[in-house]
């Protein structure tokens, strides 16, 4: 009931998306998703970038679709969910790439909370300043990986500086989060034969240190 109430609240005032009969019937399959360029790119990354087998990649994609369409959890919660599934990112660059692909997928997915419209379609109907984030907070897992050295802070910083972001306030916020996680006394050298701080149980050289 809580999720239903939240969905109804977010829907308030939004118009209904009216699909054709042919398109509507496709959604009889709960996991139906139009094969847009964003969907294709995300699936390719799951298979090649994360090296998931076909069935595992499909299952992970189904979870991402459900999250985007029905649940709407934040990105950090999504990353924690992937961690519980045993999915590990090899580098900060992979995290950045996944975030970029998931965001594009998310923004082009038809959602219950938007009464069938995608976030991009909804944003086009309203003043753009209402949909542009100006800050971002890192979750504990990402902050921990940066602080321990398991994730390369310099590489992530360079990626943020090169990103095409909607405003400079967001860039400054992300750089501030990196600085806060890697400030004086927070950096810790991880040896190649030490257990990986990501929690996989493997040695660092066999996991995030590859």
């Amino acid at each position: 009931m809580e999720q239903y109430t939240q969905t109804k609240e977010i829907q308030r005032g939004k118009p209904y998306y009216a699909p054709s009969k042919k398109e509507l019937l496709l959604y009889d399959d709960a996991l139906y998703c139009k094969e847009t360029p964003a969907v294709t790119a995300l699936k390719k990354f799951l298979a090649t970038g994360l090296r998931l087998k076909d069935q595992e990649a499909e299952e992970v994609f189904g979870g991402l679709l459900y999250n985007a369409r029905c649940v709407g959890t934040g990105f950090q919660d999504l990353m924690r969910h992937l961690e519980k599934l045993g999915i590990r990112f090899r580098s900060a660059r992979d995290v950045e790439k996944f975030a970029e692909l998931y965001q594009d997928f998310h923004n082009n997915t038809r959602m219950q909370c938007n009464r069938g419209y995608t976030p991009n379609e909804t944003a086009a109907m309203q003043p753009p300043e209402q949909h542009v984030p100006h800050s971002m907070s890192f979750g504990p897992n990402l902050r921990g990986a940066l602080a321990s050295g398991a994730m390369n802070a310099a590489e992530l910083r360079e990626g943020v500086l090169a990103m095409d972001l909607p405003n400079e306030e967001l860039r400054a916020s992300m750089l501030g989060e990196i600085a806060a996680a890697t400030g004086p006394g927070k950096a810790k050298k991880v040896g190649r034969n030490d257990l990986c701080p990501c929690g996989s149980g493997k040695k660092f050289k066999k996991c995030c240190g590859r």
Side-chain angles (χ1 to χ4, degrees):
M1 284 302 298
E2 181 180 356
Q3 185 176 339
Y4 171 79
T5 302
Q6 290 176 349
T7 299
K8 294 298 291 183
E9 182 64 28
I10 298 172
Q11 286 179 341
R12 182 177 298 178
K14 295 179 180 178
Y16 284 99
Y17 172 74
S20 65
K21 179 179 178 181
K22 181 178 180 180
E23 181 184 3
L24 178 62
L25 292 176
L26 292 173
Y27 284 92
D28 181 55
D29 177 0
L31 293 179
Y32 167 72
C33 184
K34 185 178 180 181
E35 195 71 22
T36 63
V39 169
T40 301
L42 181 58
K43 286 183 175 179
K44 182 178 179 181
F45 179 80
L46 294 177
T48 59
L50 296 184
R51 300 179 180 178
L52 301 181
K53 296 180 180 179
D54 291 346
Q55 183 176 352
E56 187 178 11
E58 282 297 323
E59 290 175 354
V60 171
F61 177 78
L64 297 177
L65 174 62
Y66 177 70
N67 178 77
R69 181 177 288 163
C70 307
V71 181
T73 59
F75 185 72
Q76 298 304 329
D77 290 329
L78 180 62
M79 292 295 286
R80 282 193 284 271
H81 172 67
L82 294 178
E83 184 178 348
K84 289 180 180 178
L85 294 178
I87 295 175
R88 309 296 181 193
F89 291 86
R90 292 173 292 171
S91 66
R93 195 178 301 274
D94 279 350
V95 174
E96 178 187 329
K97 184 64 176 178
F98 172 72
E100 177 186 336
L101 293 173
Y102 179 77
Q103 190 64 43
D104 188 34
F105 163 71
H106 176 277
N107 289 342
N108 287 281
T109 297
R110 301 206 173 278
M111 300 180 180
Q112 295 174 346
C113 63
N114 288 334
R115 288 179 167 169
Y117 282 102
T118 70
N120 279 347
E121 291 170 339
T122 303
M125 301 176 193
Q126 301 178 12
E129 61 269 16
Q130 295 184 11
H131 299 275
V132 178
H134 291 267
S135 64
M136 174 182 287
S137 297
F138 290 171
N141 291 337
L142 185 53
R143 286 198 299 268
L146 286 168
S148 69
M151 181 174 288
N152 190 313
E155 188 177 291
L156 181 58
R157 189 178 295 109
E158 290 176 5
V160 170
L161 290 171
M163 282 181 185
D164 183 16
L165 297 174
N167 55 68
E168 289 307 309
E169 291 92 339
L170 179 58
R171 192 187 315 277
S173 174
M174 294 174 71
L175 292 173
E177 287 290 300
I178 297 173
T182 58
K186 292 193 176 182
K188 178 183 177 182
K189 182 69 175 178
V190 181
R192 285 177 53 77
N193 290 312
D194 293 341
L195 289 177
C196 188
C198 76
S200 65
K202 300 179 182 178
K203 289 186 177 181
F204 180 63
K205 66 182 179 182
K206 295 290 187 179
C207 192
C208 295
R210 288 187 295 179

